[in-house]
Amino acid sequence: MTSTIDVVTDRALKARHRAMWGLGDYPAVAIDVIPELGPELVAASRVRPGDRVLDVAAGTGNAAVPAALTGARVVASDLTPELFDAGREFAARHGVRVDFEEGDAEALPYDDGEFDAVLSCVGVMFAPHHQQAADELIRVCRPGGTIGLLSWTPTGFVGEMFRTMKPYAPPPPPGAQPPPLWGDEEHVRMLLADRVTDVVTRRQTLTTELFATPEAWLAYWKTVYGPAIAVYRGIADDPERVAALDRDLIALAMRFDHGTHSTVMDWEYLIVTARKRS
Ligand SMILES: C[S@@+](CC[C@H](N)C(=O)[O-])C[C@H]1O[C@@H](n2cnc3c(N)ncnc32)[C@H](O)[C@@H]1O
């Protein structure tokens, strides 16, 4: 049974996560850096006109909007409603309707089997209790419906970025699991287990060519990306640690940079699609 202390602790953790994703300018990241990921996930998940689709941890609707463009009826659910105005503008610019609704991926406010497809684009991976979140994805999907997930891999650039920031961040609370584990195929298969069939996995890369240098990437990232901003805020009173984290992140970007005249990096992700067992 869940104790009152567990509920209070979990609420406080989710409030911190919500505040973190509200920092900086996540809508800019979605539009400038990773806009191709939502359409990739929607195509891989074979969303069809008329489908009822749930985009979990949808942010500003990176997957929800392309899903709606196929003719699906789409709900975009996220812990951080501060992102919804930007999401509604994004949907309006594309001339589609998406219903943005607040919700925790670990306790989705929907009935069993409500959706034909349940998607999450670099989203559910940030819910701290992986099994609980996976159980919810499966619960709200109808039997025979599709689960489609796109997650950064542990050894790709974003996974390595989280590993690099870890020593500079407070220890995660007990029971919280690292986000990039959702980019490990075996981990996802274990989470979904025998409740799904037809599991298909594919590793791909997103090529970013937006930044002139690794230093330019870091300057941008420290301004827009909530998890990085939160880590820097935690060490702000220690200039040596700030400088060390700067050095470590720039070294990481240099390791991934294969550009000649400007920085070009390939950021690896895993797409998993599966069918909920009937
Ligand atoms: C990297 S963003 C991805 C957003 C969007 N899917 C995209 O592709 O741009 C991660 C999102 O996960 C959301 N998130 C984090 N923890 C969550 C939770 N427990 N439940 C629901 N959403 C959560 C954040 O608010 C944020 O919008």
Side-chain angles (χ1 to χ4, degrees), residues 14 17-18 20-22 26 29-31 34 37-38 55-64 77-81 83-84 103-108 120-129 133 150 152 225 227:
K14 299 294 166 54
H17 285 181
R18 172 178 169 178
M20 180 182 80
W21 287 105
Y26 186 75
V29 175
I31 284 177
I34 61 163
L37 298 188
D55 182 6
V56 176
T60 51
N62 198 11
S77 165
D78 198 280
L79 188 69
T80 311
L83 300 173
F84 291 170
D104 180 352
E106 295 177 1
L108 290 167
S120 192
C121 178
V122 293
V124 71
M125 62 181 295
F126 292 102
H129 307 105
L150 188 156
W152 301 118
Y225 192 64

Side-chain angles (χ1 to χ4, degrees), residues 16 18 25 54 92 96-97 120 141 144 161 190 195 208-209 226 234 240 248 258 265 267 273-274:
R16 287 203 300 280
R18 172 178 169 178
D25 190 355
L54 178 66
V96 290
R97 176 182 167 167
S120 192
C141 187
M161 183 192 67
M190 186 207 53
R195 295 169 298 173
T208 53
E209 303 187 39
E240 280 179 20
D248 288 352
H258 60 86
M265 293 185 274
W267 295 5
T273 57

Side-chain angles (χ1 to χ4, degrees), residues 153-169:
T153 61
T155 51
F157 179 75
V158 180
E160 289 282 352
M161 183 192 67
F162 277 99
R163 205 165 61 82
T164 303
M165 294 196 301
K166 195 173 174 207
Y168 298 90

